[in-house]
Amino acid sequence: MFTPARDLFADLTPDQRAAVEHGEGPLLILAGAGSGKTRVITRRVAHLLQCGVKPWSILAITFTNKAAGEMKHRVDALAPGNKVWISTFHSLGARLLRQYADRLNIDRNFTIYDVDDRNKLVKDALDRAGIDNVKFTPERLAGAISKAKNALQRPKEYEQQARDFFTQTVARVYTLYEKALRQANGMDFDDLLYLPALALKLNEEFRAELDARFKYVLIDEYQDTNQAQYEIARRLSLHHPNLCVVGDPDQSIYKWRGSDIRNILDFERDFPAARVITLEQNYRSTKAILHAASVLIDHNKQRKKKTLVTGNPQGDPVRTLTFDNGLDEAEGVVLRIKQAVEAGRFRYRDHAIFLRINALTRSLESAFVKHGVPFQIVKGLAFFDRKENKDILAYLRLLINPADTVCFLRAVNEPARGIGKVSLERLVNWANEHEMTLTAACGNAARIPEIKGKAAAGLREFYRLMTELRAKIDLPPHEVIREVLDQSGYRKMLAETGDEDDADRLANIEEMITAAKQFHDEDATRTLADFLEQITLASDVDSHDEKADSVSVMTLHAAKGLEFPAVYMLACEQGILPHNRSIESGKDEELEEERRLCFVGMTRAMRELHLCHARMREFRGQITYQVPSMFLDELPADVDRQDVAGGKNTARAAIDEWRSGYRSAGGRAGLPPVKPTIPAGDGSGYAVGQVVQHDEYGIGQVTDVSGFGALRRVKVRFPAAGEKTFVADKVKLRVVKRG
């Protein structure tokens, strides 16, 4: 038993206190957005410790490293020196697989493959199966395999239920992919859940041992669990059903990666004795923001109804902002942020811009640079995806796991050692014939008659290098990286060119060394394997620098769990939010998930919320009329709807006319079946408000016509190129919509 650093209940509401004090038995905490769920989870852990529960009997699981770090920090503040196991689901899986490797018949030095490496193995499996990868891309097949693993379907089980040509193709590739993965002693992300879940399901001795070890299990964001995660949670709570899950069905947004909202909706069915506590007090947002978000989400049917309330001020009304085009939207938002900072209302870091998809960041980046506004694009650990860093990481992973085929092929000729593609193919064939790893085959290069001269010498040198470096893997991670950089010749290769880009690449690797040192300095027991695992399991939000005074730009999915004083949500348009896939599916459940995604974005805002859309947008190589998101129509009447466009709004009128016709034809309001067609024009009689098409600049809108005869000028605003002025008699503009 420990003495808490402070009163655990002093600042809790009655519902929060009830959740913290709950004793044994299953507990479902329905935690609305901004309701202080992290506070409740950490206080519950501290309360269990206070009641005499052994720290090693408590397991707390969340979804991101950042969330796990925050949870650890708070628990440590309440119970210094505790040994509670707090981690993400994937980190838990990796740790169990390494800790129980002998029992599970695996090699604990496995490599965790990222998405790129996984896709390479899938492509190799495609090639071996002789399947055309134009029709079935590695990415598409890898996605299908991922879904199979999340559903706990092994290759044979998947093959048995394969009914059409695509699933039969997946079944063939799945079998070959799994074989290659095991031969390389590799794990993909899904394996970190799939294999522990299968072990818990099929190995009763293993399951009972872990169930007895973890008597109290707490799971955050339970609405985002998939079948494998659900299986882990259930199997750890059979003999000791002290499972506490925290979540909100209204924030379930990961169906595309296998999450199943039914896991939280059916919790009381799975655990009939469960106690349910609802947290409805919101501490984050103003009344205006909370009201708008609540009215929106109330359109969903697949939910557990609750009424969010807040003691915060009413605040400014939620605003919708209408722009002429995507470039204007980016410019307008960046300028509004800059003006708010210059007026002293906010700092740059108080602002966030949310997007449905990362592809929409390009115009934003240009606007930020143009106006001198600092920003950060939150896209995961892109730093470690740079070629030079991936090269060094390949060396490091090969040191830990000599069977790693992907890393061997990446590292063996970086820097160049005179080993050509043909020689590598011969090495791979020889290794397969002799059932040997590529590393071992490399050491036997002298026995392969087809490999001669410079290639043979290069392979022998690489084997010698890796043998010497492997003797140093117990050094601190940053020291191992420095040894690899120096002894491999990689530093010399970059330093001697005199090229400025190579100097930057070397600086990037040095920065990775710094990151490894910081990682080790936080805990001197951390190894090279720990550092590599931490990099691989990082999520998008883990790269978010909360202290940097810059505007944060991220997808709505990455925004989950964060909060900002001022939020701008861009491209709130049909086909983007909600996404076109959900519209075309015709399924209410798909649209409901998109509405939940919009709800999540809205409830990240603390003081100001701006929902933006454009009349025209250049997207995926096309310039199209855009229809405002159906979700904007579902907002309450007190939302402040502002038209900040600079044009004459003829595009708006055309869209309204088209939508009106669609509604009268019996269509569902706000759901465009197809993009509007563009009628032909004769190119004469230019007038303000016309929509025209230029061969180079695409579709634009006439904003001014002046002069007469040979001096006649026509000014056109293009979404991608801005305003251009032409001599009317000489330019070829096709009128596509009369003003």
Side-chain angles (χ1 to χ4, degrees):
M1 186 179 295
F2 85 105
T3 302
R6 58 190 174 90
D7 186 353
L8 296 178
F9 308 106
D11 54 353
L12 300 182
T13 66
D15 287 333
Q16 288 177 329
R17 177 166 185 150
V20 170
E21 288 185 314
H22 175 77
E24 296 196 341
L27 173 64
L28 169 61
I29 303 174
L30 292 173
S35 61
K37 66 182 178 65
T38 304
R39 179 190 306 172
V40 171
I41 296 172
T42 52
R43 299 289 178 86
R44 176 160 174 75
V45 170
H47 180 65
L48 289 172
L49 293 171
Q50 187 180 34
C51 292
V53 176
K54 302 301 181 186
W56 51 85
S57 297
I58 302 172
L59 172 64
I61 309 173
T62 187
F63 273 78
T64 68
N65 288 335
K66 188 176 284 288
E70 172 67 14
M71 202 178 291
K72 287 178 183 177
H73 176 74
R74 293 201 195 186
V75 172
D76 285 343
L78 294 168
N82 73 84
K83 299 294 183 182
V84 175
W85 192 339
I86 300 175
S87 81
T88 66
F89 260 112
H90 286 87
S91 293
L92 168 68
R95 188 167 171 182
L96 290 176
L97 290 175
R98 295 194 197 281
Q99 189 169 331
Y100 293 92
D102 294 341
R103 297 263 295 275
L104 301 177
N105 196 30
I106 60 176
D107 184 338
R108 63 172 42 87
N109 292 320
F110 57 80
T111 300
I112 303 173
Y113 282 169
D114 62 19
V115 172
D116 288 342
D117 292 338
R118 177 198 68 179
N119 290 344
K120 286 177 185 175
L121 279 187
V122 172
K123 184 180 183 304
D124 289 343
L126 265 172
D127 293 341
R128 287 199 301 278
I131 298 171
D132 180 5
N133 66 8
V134 174
K135 187 173 182 180
F136 297 124
T137 64
E139 291 76 15
R140 186 182 177 196
L141 293 172
I145 292 170
S146 176
K147 287 183 179 179
K149 289 188 175 185
N150 286 332
L152 300 185
Q153 291 180 311
R154 291 171 288 184
K156 282 190 180 300
E157 294 162 345
Y158 186 89
E159 184 178 9
Q160 289 169 358
Q161 59 86 50
R163 294 291 179 265
D164 55 35
F165 184 62
F166 175 70
T167 53
Q168 289 167 356
T169 301
V170 172
R172 289 173 62 195
V173 173
Y174 188 5
T175 299
L176 293 170
Y177 168 73
E178 281 294 281
K179 183 178 180 181
L181 201 58
R182 300 300 161 239
Q183 286 177 341
N185 191 27
M187 301 279 178
D188 58 29
F189 283 127
D190 300 308
D191 285 333
L192 303 182
L193 304 176
Y194 164 73
L195 293 177
L198 280 179
L200 287 167
K201 183 178 181 179
L202 303 174
N203 187 330
E204 174 57 23
E205 182 182 352
F206 176 68
R207 188 213 63 77
E209 182 177 329
L210 288 182
D211 193 345
R213 175 178 177 179
F214 299 121
K215 293 184 172 65
Y216 292 85
V217 178
L218 300 90
I219 300 178
D220 191 14
E221 306 286 8
Y222 191 67
Q223 77 279 350
D224 291 329
T225 52
N226 59 29
Q227 180 63 31
Q229 291 159 332
Y230 168 82
E231 196 73 39
I232 291 171
R234 287 277 286 143
R235 299 285 169 176
L236 291 179
S237 309
L238 295 184
H239 292 156
H240 299 277
N242 303 317
L243 175 62
C244 168
V245 302
V246 186
D248 180 9
D250 290 340
Q251 297 184 70
S252 177
I253 59 174
Y254 290 107
K255 186 176 186 296
W256 53 274
R257 71 179 189 194
S259 70
D260 190 342
I261 193 173
R262 291 175 300 179
N263 291 348
I264 191 167
L265 293 176
D266 294 343
F267 186 81
E268 295 146 279
R269 181 206 65 188
D270 294 335
F271 295 91
R275 181 181 182 185
V276 181
I277 297 174
T278 304
L279 305 182
E280 297 179 318
Q281 180 75 26
N282 177 284
Y283 297 94
R284 176 184 299 145
S285 305
T286 62
K287 286 183 173 68
I289 293 171
L290 201 60
H291 174 60
S294 297
V295 169
L296 173 74
I297 201 63
D298 203 39
H299 286 78
N300 274 11
K301 296 177 181 178
Q302 200 175 27
R303 63 189 296 253
K304 286 181 177 286
K305 195 171 180 64
K306 56 185 174 300
T307 303
L308 294 178
V309 297
T310 183
N312 291 335
Q314 177 65 26
D316 294 338
V318 172
R319 293 185 181 88
T320 66
L321 303 177
T322 304
F323 296 88
D324 262 343
N325 54 64
L327 283 178
D328 284 354
E329 180 189 55
E331 284 265 319
V333 168
V334 169
L335 282 173
R336 281 170 175 259
I337 291 173
K338 186 172 185 177
Q339 290 163 3
V341 173
E342 290 176 346
R345 292 174 45 232
F346 293 109
R347 299 164 297 182
Y348 284 119
R349 75 186 195 192
D350 293 333
H351 293 88
I353 298 176
F354 300 154
L355 307 163
R356 176 62 179 85
I357 48 178
N358 270 321
L360 296 171
T361 61
R362 182 178 58 82
S363 57
L364 270 175
E365 293 182 54
S366 299
F368 280 127
V369 172
K370 177 180 177 181
H371 296 289
V373 173
F375 68 99
Q376 56 174 313
I377 307 288
V378 182
K379 287 185 180 178
L381 293 185
F383 171 76
F384 292 103
D385 288 335
R386 292 169 179 163
K387 179 188 180 302
E388 58 274 13
N389 286 338
K390 290 206 76 168
D391 287 345
I392 298 301
L393 289 172
Y395 275 95
L396 300 175
R397 289 181 171 127
L398 191 60
L399 288 177
I400 300 293
N401 175 19
D404 191 326
T405 304
V406 173
C407 288
F408 179 93
L409 292 174
R410 182 174 193 116
V412 69
N413 225 18
E414 288 288 353
R417 296 184 173 88
I419 308 166
K421 182 179 179 181
V422 173
S423 295
L424 283 177
E425 288 175 352
R426 289 169 175 167
L427 182 73
V428 169
N429 292 335
W430 193 88
N432 290 336
E433 289 171 6
H434 292 78
E435 297 183 345
M436 194 178 287
T437 68
L438 288 180
T439 301
C442 185
N444 285 274
R447 297 173 53 196
I448 308 174
E450 297 89 351
I451 302 177
K452 302 174 182 176
K454 196 172 183 180
L459 288 171
R460 287 195 299 271
E461 168 57 24
F462 183 69
Y463 183 78
R464 181 200 61 76
L465 169 68
M466 297 306 294
T467 301
E468 291 181 1
L469 288 172
R470 194 164 292 117
K472 301 180 180 181
I473 60 173
D474 291 331
L475 294 172
H478 54 286
E479 293 183 20
V480 181
I481 299 174
R482 193 173 284 116
E483 289 284 343
V484 168
L485 184 59
D486 291 338
Q487 292 193 37
S488 67
Y490 208 97
R491 182 194 295 278
K492 182 180 180 182
M493 176 186 72
L494 294 179
E496 290 185 348
T497 64
D499 187 290
E500 189 173 327
D501 289 340
D502 283 343
D504 288 342
R505 294 183 182 101
L506 185 55
N508 287 334
I509 300 173
E510 294 286 1
E511 185 60 28
M512 182 168 65
I513 294 173
T514 300
K517 186 176 187 305
Q518 291 171 347
F519 178 78
H520 182 261
D521 288 346
E522 290 173 6
D523 182 349
T525 66
R526 289 173 169 174
T527 64
L528 175 64
D530 295 329
F531 177 67
L532 295 176
E533 187 168 299
Q534 184 247 4
I535 292 172
T536 308
L537 297 183
S539 64
D540 281 358
V541 73
D542 293 328
S543 68
H544 180 230
D545 186 351
E546 297 171 345
K547 297 178 181 178
D549 190 25
S550 59
V551 180
S552 298
V553 182
M554 64 188 74
T555 64
L556 286 161
H557 286 97
K560 184 105 171 289
L562 302 178
E563 61 182 23
F564 299 89
V567 165
Y568 288 83
M569 289 171 54
L570 272 55
C572 296
E573 297 150 15
Q574 289 297 109
I576 297 179
L577 180 69
H579 196 282
N580 203 46
R581 282 194 302 267
S582 67
I583 296 172
E584 292 178 346
S585 74
K587 297 179 180 177
D588 286 342
E589 63 188 56
E590 299 288 341
L591 279 173
E592 288 202 1
E593 173 141 344
E594 290 292 304
R595 189 178 286 110
R596 290 194 295 267
L597 188 58
C598 187
F599 173 80
V600 165
M602 293 174 69
T603 53
R604 301 310 94 195
M606 301 166 71
R607 289 164 50 191
E608 287 189 9
L609 174 61
H610 309 268
L611 306 172
C612 309
H613 70 98
R615 294 190 172 101
M616 286 192 296
R617 186 176 299 278
E618 183 181 20
F619 182 54
R620 291 177 177 161
Q622 292 182 316
I623 297 176
T624 59
Y625 291 127
Q626 294 297 103
V627 176
S629 171
M630 59 186 289
F631 302 148
L632 300 184
D633 290 339
E634 296 173 354
L635 297 175
D638 58 1
V639 166
D640 181 15
R641 299 176 189 269
Q642 298 184 7
D643 191 327
V644 294
K648 294 293 185 179
N649 303 341
T650 55
R652 172 73 267 163
I655 290 169
D656 286 342
E657 178 185 352
W658 170 69
R659 291 184 76 181
S660 175
Y662 179 53
R663 286 194 179 100
S664 64
R668 181 172 178 176
L671 297 185
V674 293
K675 295 173 182 174
T677 57
I678 300 175
D682 60 8
S684 63
Y686 299 121
V688 172
Q690 287 176 336
V691 178
V692 297
Q693 184 167 22
H694 186 274
D695 287 346
E696 180 180 352
Y697 302 120
I699 292 176
Q701 189 173 41
V702 177
T703 59
D704 186 50
V705 179
S706 60
F708 299 93
L711 297 177
R712 191 167 176 237
R713 300 285 189 272
V714 57
K715 186 181 289 185
V716 182
R717 178 195 289 266
F718 297 98
E723 280 198 330
K724 301 288 182 182
T725 301
F726 306 99
V727 176
D729 287 349
K730 295 183 178 180
V731 68
K732 290 184 179 180
L733 292 174
R734 186 168 68 93
V735 178
V736 297
K737 193 72 178 179
R738 298 287 175 184

